[in-house]
Amino acid sequence: MADLSTNYLGMNLKSPLIVGSCGLTTSLENVKLMEKNGAGAIVLKSVFEEEILLSLHKKARDASKDKLLYYEYSETYDYLDIHTRNEELENYLQFIREIKKEVLMPVIASINCVTDTEWTDFAMKIQEAGADALELNLFFNPTGFKIMDVEKKSVQIVKKILKTVSIPVSVKLSSNYTNLGHTIQEISEKGVQGIVLFNRFFSVDFDLDKLSVISSDIYSSPGDFTKPLRWIALITDKIGCNIAASGGVHSGKTALKQILAGADAVQVVSILYKNGIDHLSVLLNEMDKWIEKKGFNSVSQIKGMMSNKNVKNPEVFERMQFMRYYGKLFD
Ligand SMILES: Cc1cc2nc3c(=O)[nH]c(=O)nc-3n(C[C@H](O)[C@H](O)[C@H](O)COP(=O)(O)O)c2cc1C
């Protein structure tokens, strides 16, 4: 059996497969099953700043309706604010404490951030609860029509969190940055220990019968792995921190491709929703077989073998258009 262990965020993982942030990591039973089936680590469902605010507003509205609380008085509102937040967030912290008693693999907490003010205290509490690391999900999706310096805001959030906690911090980015390579490099230089490429946003679709707006497929497709693959291959030699691939990894072979591009770890979500948590062992088995068949003996041996620096035609990673004679590039 090949050595599948890897190093990620300064931690030794027994396998490079990490269960990414999602609803599957909200149950202790699931988390235990993930460890049993070979997960190297898990990322907890994100604490959504937006979700907490929505719940706060709902409770405030309900309270004002039955006149038990006088929502219009600002002091009551302040109490409600603190109370609601504490309840939701305490559950999250309690869950970290609970799973840390039950599993040995690293537990990575996750915060959805859009500001550099809201969450910094909570990051400290996550550390105190025993999380091994923190993944910041920078959730910018600039759909407005004004110039918005998302790159600058992202760096501000990262700097603030790094001042707050001492556990390793990774940053999960979208690909919606004007100058993605520069942004990744700048964030990595601020002292984060890992970059996760990429997060996946909710996307819309239309129901033609009802003429209504609906959610498109929430799960990724197997072809989605190519964008992270390209970017990991491009930047792996240009940044000094770990990289985790995320998006479209539906097979052991795709996970191997991300490692060959330079990823230290690979996050999986959709495939586990589709095939069950025990499918992790199928993916790992596929990876193990390929590594042995190729005459290698470890994940670390193949890491980055096909990065920008190591392939014959690195220009293919930068190419955006097909050329009439593109076949020549791939000979
Ligand atoms: C049901 C569901 C819930 C998710 N919740 C979160 C979340 O809370 N925080 C986060 O950073 N990503 C979340 N994601 C995104 C995943 O972590 C992952 O980045 C994305 O699904 C791409 O990986 P995949 O192709 O393996 O699914 C969620 C994805 C799904 C399908």
Side-chain angles (χ1 to χ4, degrees), residues 262-279:
D264 300 278
V266 179
Q267 299 194 356
V268 283
V269 170
S270 293
I271 193 64
L272 302 185
Y273 272 101
K274 288 181 179 175
N275 291 5
I277 291 167
D278 53 3
H279 194 69

Side-chain angles (χ1 to χ4, degrees), residues 179-308:
N179 192 342
L180 185 57
H182 172 76
T183 306
I184 295 172
Q185 211 167 30
E186 198 180 356
I187 288 177
S188 75
E189 282 164 6
K190 296 291 169 266
V192 299
Q193 304 230 11
I195 298 278
V196 183
L197 303 178
F198 293 106
N199 58 19
R200 181 179 162 79
F201 293 131
F202 157 84
S203 32
V204 292
D205 192 1
F206 291 162
D207 181 321
L208 285 180
D209 290 328
K210 295 183 182 152
L211 281 178
S212 60
V213 181
I214 54 170
S215 160
S216 71
D217 196 351
I218 59 164
Y219 302 126
S220 63
S221 307
D224 292 348
F225 78 93
T226 57
K227 196 190 261 187
L229 185 85
R230 173 200 287 254
W231 276 98
I232 290 168
L234 271 172
I235 55 128
T236 187
D237 305 312
K238 297 180 185 68
I239 61 173
C241 67
N242 291 144
I243 304 173
S246 170
V249 175
H250 287 219
S251 70
K253 286 203 172 120
T254 316
L256 286 163
K257 288 179 189 177
Q258 302 292 15
I259 293 166
L260 287 164
D264 300 278
V266 179
Q267 299 194 356
V268 283
V269 170
S270 293
I271 193 64
L272 302 185
Y273 272 101
K274 288 181 179 175
N275 291 5
I277 291 167
D278 53 3
H279 194 69
L280 274 167
S281 58
V282 175
L283 302 177
L284 285 168
N285 198 21
E286 202 185 335
M287 294 170 77
D288 178 46
K289 281 210 177 106
W290 182 89
I291 292 173
E292 287 206 328
K293 195 174 120 201
K294 282 294 195 188
F296 300 114
N297 49 41
S298 67
V299 157
S300 57
Q301 218 181 353
I302 64 163
K303 194 168 76 74
M305 261 180 78
M306 295 191 69
S307 73
N308 185 56

